[in-house]
């Protein structure tokens, strides 16, 4: 039995298999999953697990060089946007004393976001019920 890291065997395997620039999607309960893309469904009930809970656990176990968000998040879900900024920008991470890493944060339209999900290694569906609580996490490289 694992002592550290992600216990979910499906997520753990996906993260272990990622190469540089591969990406995964962490999605709210409503994001459509493209045909042919593997879905790991963690949703238990509305809000459980939350988008933030899942991103926190994945960010602690994955080298992330870029986060892609829908532009619509800026208008529709400031809470999730501020969370992503705090988690993936160095200045905020140092102040909050988290183990977060820095990553570039990019935006695209929600339609473009959904198109990008077609090329994801996996979509991890949370129970999040707030709008545009979705992100694409692109793998970086870890050299020890």
């Amino acid at each position: 039995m694992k002592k550290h890291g992600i216990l979910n065997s499906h997520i753990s395997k996906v993260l272990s298999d990622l190469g540089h620039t591969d990406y995964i999607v962490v999605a709210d309960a409503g994001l459509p999953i493209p045909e042919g893309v593997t879905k790991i469904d963690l949703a238990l009930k509305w809000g459980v697990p939350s988008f933030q809970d899942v991103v926190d656990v994945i960010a602690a176990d994955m080298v992330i060089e870029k986060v892609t968000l829908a532009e619509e998040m800026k208008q529709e879900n400031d809470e999730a946007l501020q969370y992503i900024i705090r988690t993936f920008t160095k200045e905020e991470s140092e102040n909050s004393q988290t183990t977060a890493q820095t990553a570039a944060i990019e935006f695209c339209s929600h339609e473009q976001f959904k198109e990008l999900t077609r090329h994801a290694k996996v979509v991890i569906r949370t129970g999040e019920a707030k709008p545009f609580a979705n992100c694409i996490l692109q793998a970086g490289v870890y050299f020890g």
Side-chain angles (χ1 to χ4, degrees):
M1 180 172 220
K2 284 184 75 172
K3 186 174 178 182
H4 301 287
I6 294 175
L7 296 179
N8 182 293
S9 61
H10 303 290
I11 296 174
S12 184
K13 178 168 182 7
V14 167
L15 296 184
S16 295
D17 287 343
L18 289 175
H20 185 216
T21 72
D22 287 341
Y23 59 88
I24 66 171
V25 177
V26 178
D28 60 30
L31 186 74
I33 314 288
E35 192 79 28
V37 175
T38 302
K39 174 178 73 174
I40 299 174
D41 195 344
L42 302 177
L44 298 174
K45 65 179 188 176
W46 292 116
V48 178
S50 72
F51 172 73
Q52 183 174 332
D53 287 342
V54 175
V55 173
D56 280 345
V57 170
I58 290 171
D61 212 26
M62 175 183 174
V63 177
I64 300 167
E65 68 179 13
K66 184 169 76 173
V67 180
T68 303
L69 307 168
E71 282 282 344
E72 289 84 345
M73 181 187 273
K74 293 177 181 174
Q75 298 298 316
E76 302 292 332
N77 194 340
D78 188 59
E79 179 184 342
L81 176 62
Q82 295 309 315
Y83 160 71
I84 290 291
I85 291 170
R86 281 193 315 273
T87 302
F88 293 103
T89 59
K90 186 174 180 139
E91 300 81 28
E92 293 289 334
S93 296
E94 288 175 350
N95 292 336
S96 65
Q97 299 178 353
T98 64
T99 58
Q101 54 194 306
T102 59
I105 300 175
E106 294 185 357
F107 295 90
C108 63
S109 73
H110 189 57
E111 288 305 314
Q112 291 171 318
F113 187 94
K114 288 190 290 188
E115 192 60 34
L116 288 171
T117 65
R118 295 182 182 283
H119 305 287
K121 295 295 184 187
V122 68
V123 176
I124 301 170
R125 182 177 179 252
T126 70
E128 188 64 60
K130 296 176 183 163
F132 303 102
N134 308 297
C135 66
I136 293 172
L137 303 174
Q138 181 175 304
V141 178
Y142 181 72
F143 291 113

